Amino acid sequence: MSSHIDAIIRSDALSNKDEVPTPRNRQGPLRSSPRPRGPPSESNGALSDAEAFPDDEVVGLRGTDRNRPRDPMDRAVPKVVDKVGEKVAEEFEKFLDQYIEDPVLSGAPPSSAAVSDKYYIAQIHGLRIYNLSTLYVDFQHLMSLQNNTLANAIANDYYRYLPFLTRALHNLIARYEPRYFKEHRQPTSASSQTNSSVAGNGLSQAESMGEKTTNQQTDKLFTLAFYNLPLVSRVRQLRTASIGKLLSISGTVTRTSEVRPELYLATFTCEGCRTTITNIEQVFRYTEPTQCPNLTCGNRQGWRLDIRQSTFVDWQKVRIQENSSEIPTGSMPRTMDVILRGEIVDRAKAGEKCIFTGALIVVPDVSQLGLPGVRPEATRDSRNAPRGGDAGGSGITGLKALGVRDLTYRMAFLACMVTPDNSTPGQAASQQLNGQAGNILASLNQTAPIDPQDPGDHAQEAFLQSLTASEIEELKYMVHSDHIYSRLVNSLAPMVYGHEIVKKGLLLQLMGGVSKVTPEGMQLRGDLNICIVGDPSTSKSQFLKYICSFLPRAVYTSGKASSAAGLTAAVVKDEETGEFTIEAGALMLADNGICAIDEFDKMDIGDQVAIHEAMEQQTISIAKAGIQATLNARTSILAAANPVGGRYNRKTTLRANINMSAPIMSRFDLFFIILDECNEGVDRHLAEHIVNIHRLRDDAVTPEFTTEQLQRYIRFAKTFKPEFTPEAKALFVEKYKELRADDAQGGIGRNSYRITVRQLESMIRLSEAIAKANCVEDVTPNFVREAFNLLRQSIISVEKDDVEVDDEEEEVLDGANGNDDGERRNQDGDSPMGDADDQDDDGDDGADDARARRAASHTPGPVGRRTKITYDKYMAILNMLVRRVNEDEMTNGEGVEGEELVVWYLEQKEEEMNTQEELEAERELVRKVLKRMVKDNILMQIRGEGLDGVDSGGESSRDAEKVVYVLHPNCAVEEM
């Protein structure tokens, strides 16, 4: 390149030996320069190899003394034209002007899109309508051309050709939207002057375009954004060979800076002669003019920036980190800084997975320059110079001795486009965006996220605009199909066998309730928090991993490895500015998403306390290092915990099974208890399912809806804002009273913890989420019942073993005569209080006779047959009997006769029984329960002699058969 330039300079010096440039022919952008001047750059980047660099441009002659001997190099050098770049600009302009998209591929555009049949011309008209400055170019359109030369040139030398591509864009905007272009052009724009014939305007219009514009400081910088590149690179793969090429990289945003104004085109005033120099392009650093253009001045140092006449552009720096699925074994995740400018600032939020398209550049490493000690710069190393006759010196002693190496640079990424990365972990990241010319921002997911406070209609309309026609038809079919709720549940986490109840809860968590704000400004959360408690190997972690891969904004953490600061927010010192800034933790990164915490029971108590505020108030408050802040953490928490001791103990409550405090337990809306039980049928199906997955991989399961369809449906369903019908409101009150009654005295006594108002709010959120899942606007009583059942199954379901109500020694079936009753009573071990010894002996003799008769018969009775009833039924009968005995003791001071108690109980249950057999079975069951209660020291039996008012011998024999039940002194009635 240098030899080529030298040849041009030499030929020019020989041919024009006597010609001296005069100030008259040095007007406009023509200036003398020690290096050839390339075409004017209007990009955000540096110039190409064949162009001059503005930072070493010399304006004017180097001195004013004409009698001085002239330097043959000091003359106006003709401009070197990058012919390839000019050809690229011409071809690109032709492509933008003539490309017509196939309507079959893009789907039918909305009615507002019918501006022009030319795809990019319609976009240019959209720039004026929506007051935008970025043209979005689909790289697949470039690759679909017959000749791939243009696409290859842009991909391989993007940074070099960017000024030419931008100039082609300017020509088109000047042609199709001249007024908009004129209002937003920088003064002395090269494109408007040199290409005025292309724009169809005369010289007067070109001059008028070169004048100052009214909004010079905030002028629009028309830029290009490319998307849908065929290959998405990883951060780890970027090398110096990629510098300057058009690339797409995928990564997770970890930190975003504030949006600051960047000086783009500067206007300087010379301190010596007050001459104004306009449009000094700034390339990554503050660039002043090299010399004052005034012949009599020659100033090189004294410059003052004229801010009012300079142009600024929005600037933001984003730090991205490798996606967790792309980190090789044993490596730390790599990070890279991405620079965003113009309209694409604030498109990437911390915690999102994004695809950035742009060019890799090299910038000075500011953090290295700021280190204390010797300033690292490229200098010749003379420390090891040979002393005296010591030839060769002492050699190189390490990296610090390599003085000629300048290691103060690092790579950064200059992005022109940001799009969300919706690929699940393990999949290759790829962009499959369908841009619609009339609605380009919404169709490319470039609009702001849906505001939860927006009315539902606006949000639905905005979401539907981002879909193609075929996707909208698919969504309509799903919304209007029958039993969509259960079909969605079956399509969720298809690789996990069974667990329908847990999948229901996860689907409702993905939907979420409706968050509300009271007139006082109090936030009512709509997000659902779920905790899964279960035995080992019950696929708890698989649910968490699935949710994190399903949702774009989901963060997976492990309880033992997470600290309070890592979950909420940490205050760190910024390496460049030295100020303290807030580093987002897992809960902040999962804002408007789900934070999955595995091994929740292993967390330290102090770290659990840190997420109390985030779980209920959905904020994080920080007061440290001089920073007081309240940050949003509108996240749902999905926790998985193992029971104490490894396996779930069904005989104790949930509180005794997990190591959690009562405040944090009440903040969870749903608890799911997964037990690993032996069941031959279930085990066989589960084993077949697992073997098929290992054998057939993805073909083993065929869910009705794909992951993409589910994601679209859930995003659409979340835009609904369901409201309660009056019937649903009344049912809420009834169900809450029912829950509280169970929790109060005399309830079933199986609650895992106290029922509070939070459980009522949980029921409200669950029913709203069910209404969202069905895409309806009203919460009906059916949804309330479904939510109530979920709450009962999850919170209150603490498994208890069935209760045996027969005594272990009982071996004789029911008989009809009183002798059998006596035998049964004695065999039960309930010997009468105060009975004579001879009665006991007779009873034993009778029992021996019964055993002898049964042994002699051909049909022996069942030995040790026991009656089992569920814990629920046992506690229901027990509570009714205790309540009746307690009432009689309070009123009469006496107990209740046994037969009277049985008859009273059967009267209470009369409506539930239809036949005589059921009545007899229930009577027998109550008698057995009474015996069990006596054995458990809940009731006491008092027989004939212990009764009051015994006065005649005839009555005493009858009273001996009477049994009166009173409460046992050790029975705690208030706890039942």
Side-chain angles (χ1 to χ4, degrees):
M1 184 59 72
S2 59
S3 60
H4 175 60
I5 295 172
D6 292 343
I8 294 175
I9 292 173
R10 238 181 271 114
S11 64
D12 181 55
L14 293 172
S15 59
N16 302 322
K17 196 175 285 185
D18 300 326
E19 184 184 346
V20 177
T22 60
R24 197 165 49 247
N25 59 10
R26 198 188 302 113
Q27 55 185 333
L30 268 171
R31 294 163 181 160
S32 67
S33 169
R35 291 176 60 179
R37 176 78 194 273
S41 168
E42 295 162 25
S43 71
N44 293 341
L47 302 168
S48 68
D49 295 343
E51 303 163 6
F53 290 86
D55 54 351
D56 57 6
E57 197 175 292
V58 180
V59 185
L61 287 174
R62 298 188 182 176
T64 54
D65 188 2
R66 298 192 178 203
N67 299 323
R68 199 175 54 183
R70 290 194 302 274
D71 184 356
M73 299 293 291
D74 190 11
R75 61 181 63 255
V77 179
K79 183 166 70 173
V80 176
V81 177
D82 186 351
K83 292 180 180 173
V84 184
E86 295 289 344
K87 181 68 175 168
V88 167
E90 184 185 329
E91 289 294 323
F92 187 67
E93 184 177 344
K94 193 164 123 190
F95 158 74
L96 291 181
D97 195 13
Q98 296 177 356
Y99 184 80
I100 298 175
E101 190 183 27
D102 186 0
V104 179
L105 297 174
S106 62
S111 57
S112 61
V115 182
S116 167
D117 59 341
K118 295 181 178 178
Y119 184 80
Y120 293 104
I121 303 307
Q123 261 202 61
I124 286 173
H125 292 309
L127 294 183
R128 174 185 58 79
I129 296 169
Y130 300 111
N131 200 24
L132 304 172
S133 64
T134 304
L135 186 83
Y136 296 92
V137 180
D138 190 341
F139 202 75
Q140 297 295 331
H141 294 174
L142 281 168
M143 295 179 68
S144 67
L145 299 177
Q146 291 180 348
N147 191 351
N148 275 346
T149 316
L150 180 61
N152 292 338
I154 292 176
N156 293 328
D157 277 326
Y158 169 74
Y159 203 55
R160 170 186 174 188
Y161 296 136
L162 187 55
F164 298 99
L165 302 178
T166 312
R167 197 173 69 197
L169 172 65
H170 286 172
N171 291 344
L172 279 178
I173 299 176
R175 185 189 311 170
Y176 289 101
E177 292 288 348
R179 180 178 293 277
Y180 186 64
F181 183 68
K182 181 182 173 184
E183 287 172 358
H184 294 286
R185 265 321 294 138
Q186 281 66 40
T188 64
S189 161
S191 61
S192 57
Q193 291 181 358
T194 57
N195 299 294
S196 56
S197 59
V198 177
N201 300 320
L203 189 62
S204 60
Q205 174 135 357
E207 286 171 354
S208 68
M209 280 188 180
E211 294 170 1
K212 298 278 183 196
T213 57
T214 52
N215 47 357
Q216 172 69 19
Q217 239 176 316
T218 57
D219 236 341
K220 291 226 180 306
L221 298 168
F222 294 109
T223 54
L224 289 160
F226 292 90
Y227 64 95
N228 273 2
L229 264 70
L231 185 69
V232 178
S233 306
R234 298 180 177 184
V235 175
R236 194 173 287 268
Q237 294 171 342
L238 299 179
R239 299 286 182 269
T240 50
S242 307
I243 291 174
K245 294 183 178 180
L246 184 62
L247 300 169
S248 284
I249 60 171
S250 172
T252 305
V253 180
T254 56
R255 189 192 297 183
T256 58
S257 75
E258 60 196 9
V259 178
R260 300 206 285 264
E262 182 192 29
L263 181 62
Y264 177 63
L265 290 174
T267 298
F268 289 97
T269 304
C270 173
E271 295 280 15
C273 60
R274 299 293 171 198
T275 303
T276 301
I277 306 168
T278 57
N279 289 0
I280 303 297
E281 191 173 358
Q282 309 292 303
V283 187
F284 300 121
R285 60 190 179 86
Y286 185 62
T287 309
E288 292 181 340
T290 317
Q291 187 173 350
C292 180
N294 189 350
L295 298 179
T296 59
C297 178
N299 168 34
R300 287 173 178 269
Q301 265 127 18
W303 303 104
R304 186 168 55 82
L305 178 67
D306 187 355
I307 292 180
R308 286 192 304 170
Q309 300 303 326
S310 300
T311 302
F312 292 85
V313 64
D314 289 329
W315 178 94
Q316 186 185 29
K317 188 174 74 173
V318 169
R319 175 162 296 173
I320 66 168
Q321 181 177 299
E322 264 184 306
N323 294 324
S324 55
S325 58
E326 298 172 356
I327 303 171
T329 311
S331 300
M332 294 293 290
R334 300 265 174 93
T335 58
M336 174 164 282
D337 285 339
V338 177
I339 296 168
L340 307 176
R341 285 184 172 137
E343 286 180 355
I344 60 166
V345 297
D346 262 355
R347 295 262 170 92
K349 304 284 190 302
E352 290 180 349
K353 270 177 67 180
C354 293
I355 294 178
F356 298 89
T357 305
L360 199 62
I361 55 172
V362 174
V363 293
D365 193 350
V366 182
S367 61
Q368 294 289 327
L369 296 173
L371 293 177
V374 183
R375 183 182 173 202
E377 56 185 8
T379 55
R380 186 176 295 280
D381 186 15
S382 58
R383 287 173 293 178
N384 294 324
R387 291 196 184 88
D390 190 8
S394 57
I396 299 297
T397 57
L399 185 64
K400 288 189 177 177
L402 296 173
V404 293
R405 297 289 167 90
D406 197 351
L407 297 175
T408 59
Y409 293 93
R410 61 191 168 94
M411 288 198 287
F413 196 79
L414 188 62
C416 65
M417 179 71 175
V418 181
T419 54
D421 182 5
N422 294 323
S423 61
T424 55
Q427 283 183 351
S430 62
Q431 286 178 302
Q432 302 292 335
L433 298 171
N434 294 308
Q436 300 166 10
N439 188 21
I440 192 71
L441 287 182
S443 59
L444 294 180
N445 296 329
Q446 298 296 303
T447 50
I450 295 169
D451 186 13
Q453 305 304 328
D454 273 358
D457 297 342
H458 292 183
Q460 287 164 27
E461 192 178 327
F463 173 68
L464 289 175
Q465 283 181 349
S466 67
L467 301 180
T468 62
S470 57
E471 290 170 347
I472 291 176
E473 286 302 320
E474 207 171 65
L475 196 61
K476 273 185 188 171
Y477 165 73
M478 290 176 72
V479 170
H480 295 303
S481 57
D482 295 330
H483 307 296
I484 186 66
Y485 176 53
S486 55
R487 287 159 63 194
L488 289 173
V489 169
N490 293 332
S491 299
L492 204 69
M495 289 289 178
V496 180
Y497 176 78
H499 298 313
E500 300 294 327
I501 298 292
V502 182
K503 290 182 183 178
K504 268 187 189 175
L506 293 182
L507 177 68
L508 298 184
Q509 186 179 35
L510 289 168
M511 296 288 178
V514 180
S515 53
K516 309 173 187 75
V517 182
T518 61
E520 299 87 29
M522 188 185 299
Q523 299 275 350
L524 300 177
R525 76 176 161 100
D527 297 304
L528 289 160
N529 298 325
I530 292 180
C531 183
I532 303 175
V533 182
D535 297 337
S537 81
T538 48
S539 65
K540 299 186 299 294
S541 298
Q542 290 302 322
F543 280 125
L544 269 62
K545 288 284 187 187
Y546 174 80
I547 291 294
C548 289
S549 66
F550 183 84
L551 263 191
R553 286 189 77 91
V555 178
Y556 181 89
T557 60
S558 181
K560 196 64 181 172
S562 304
S563 65
L567 282 171
T568 53
V571 175
V572 295
K573 183 174 274 191
D574 190 8
E575 58 187 19
E576 293 188 3
T577 60
E579 297 176 353
F580 284 105
T581 58
I582 294 174
E583 180 99 20
L587 292 173
M588 279 178 63
L589 293 180
D591 194 21
N592 288 326
I594 290 180
C595 180
I597 306 176
D598 208 353
E599 310 292 348
F600 194 72
D601 53 315
K602 314 288 191 307
M603 281 178 70
D604 296 334
I605 298 297
D607 296 338
Q608 280 189 7
V609 170
I611 65 174
H612 275 201
E613 181 191 5
M615 286 181 74
E616 192 60 44
Q617 278 74 40
Q618 298 207 304
T619 55
I620 293 169
S621 301
I622 285 182
K624 43 178 138 175
I627 293 177
Q628 279 88 25
T630 300
L631 312 163
N632 282 329
R634 294 159 299 197
T635 175
S636 306
I637 288 182
L638 175 61
N642 283 324
V644 175
R647 295 190 75 84
Y648 195 87
N649 182 7
R650 301 175 63 173
K651 294 187 174 63
T652 60
T653 60
L654 177 63
R655 177 74 194 281
N657 265 293
I658 50 177
N659 184 22
M660 282 190 213
S661 59
I664 210 160
M665 282 181 71
S666 70
R667 283 170 162 80
F668 280 109
D669 297 289
L670 292 176
F671 273 95
F672 290 118
I673 299 154
I674 307 178
L675 299 175
D676 185 14
E677 294 177 311
C678 297
N679 182 323
E680 186 185 348
V682 174
D683 290 347
R684 186 179 70 251
H685 289 305
L686 180 60
E688 287 173 357
H689 178 79
I690 290 174
V691 171
N692 281 337
I693 285 180
H694 282 273
R695 190 167 63 92
L696 303 172
R697 306 291 194 286
D698 290 347
D699 299 331
V701 288
T702 53
E704 185 179 357
F705 303 123
T706 63
T707 303
E708 290 77 17
Q709 288 173 321
L710 268 179
Q711 287 172 331
R712 272 198 297 273
Y713 185 88
I714 288 174
R715 278 165 56 204
F716 177 67
K718 287 176 82 168
T719 59
F720 282 85
K721 301 268 191 299
E723 295 183 354
F724 302 115
T725 59
E727 298 85 13
K729 288 180 185 173
L731 192 59
F732 269 125
V733 178
E734 288 300 317
K735 294 296 183 187
Y736 178 63
K737 282 165 61 181
E738 193 176 323
L739 282 174
R740 288 287 284 185
D742 286 350
D743 195 36
Q745 295 181 12
I748 298 178
R750 292 179 49 195
N751 289 350
S752 50
Y753 48 84
R754 299 288 304 207
I755 296 293
T756 62
V757 183
R758 281 187 178 145
Q759 274 63 54
L760 173 63
E761 291 186 333
S762 299
M763 204 158 41
I764 291 173
R765 281 191 286 269
L766 284 168
S767 49
E768 285 172 346
I770 295 169
K772 281 185 177 184
N774 289 289
C775 285
V776 293
E777 296 284 357
D778 293 323
V779 178
T780 61
N782 285 336
F783 297 158
V784 179
R785 290 189 193 94
E786 171 74 18
F788 175 73
N789 291 337
L790 261 178
L791 205 64
R792 287 293 293 256
Q793 283 169 337
S794 63
I795 285 189
I796 303 169
S797 160
V798 178
E799 295 291 339
K800 290 277 188 181
D801 288 338
D802 291 342
V803 180
E804 294 179 5
V805 291
D806 281 0
D807 232 25
E808 293 173 0
E809 295 88 3
E810 181 175 353
E811 294 172 349
V812 179
L813 295 174
D814 296 346
N817 54 24
N819 189 31
D820 285 344
D821 285 343
E823 291 169 9
R824 187 168 61 252
R825 187 169 61 245
N826 291 330
Q827 285 161 6
D828 281 347
D830 301 322
S831 57
M833 294 175 69
D835 273 1
D837 292 341
D838 58 321
Q839 282 180 322
D840 285 341
D841 295 337
D842 292 344
D844 289 338
D845 292 340
D848 291 338
D849 294 343
R851 287 193 195 98
R853 280 199 307 274
R854 198 168 55 220
S857 68
H858 292 287
T859 55
V863 177
R865 183 181 64 82
R866 297 172 186 173
T867 304
K868 280 191 176 183
I869 59 171
T870 63
Y871 185 82
D872 270 351
K873 180 150 190 181
Y874 174 70
M875 291 303 292
I877 298 175
L878 182 145
N879 281 316
M880 287 179 70
L881 298 178
V882 166
R883 195 159 59 236
R884 171 67 203 268
V885 173
N886 189 37
E887 286 172 2
D888 275 33
E889 279 195 7
M890 292 291 185
T891 53
N892 309 333
E894 298 178 0
V896 185
E897 190 179 326
E899 195 58 37
E900 183 186 339
L901 192 59
V902 172
V903 171
W904 173 83
Y905 172 80
L906 294 174
E907 286 172 356
Q908 305 298 314
K909 293 287 183 180
E910 189 175 1
E911 294 178 359
E912 299 176 14
M913 291 177 284
N914 301 321
T915 63
Q916 184 70 23
E917 289 79 9
E918 288 181 10
L919 184 71
E920 292 300 326
E922 194 75 16
R923 182 196 303 273
E924 194 58 39
L925 184 65
V926 177
R927 286 178 173 155
K928 292 176 180 177
V929 170
L930 281 168
K931 291 178 183 177
R932 172 71 190 240
M933 291 168 67
V934 171
K935 186 180 174 189
D936 289 345
N937 290 341
I938 296 171
L939 295 179
M940 281 175 60
Q941 281 180 334
I942 302 178
R943 294 196 191 268
E945 284 83 349
L947 291 174
D948 297 335
V950 177
D951 47 4
S952 66
E955 288 179 352
S956 64
S957 60
R958 192 176 67 252
D959 289 341
E961 295 300 318
K962 281 186 182 178
V963 177
V964 174
Y965 289 100
V966 294
L967 285 179
H968 196 282
N970 293 342
C971 173
V973 181
E974 62 276 358
E975 289 182 7
M976 294 208 168

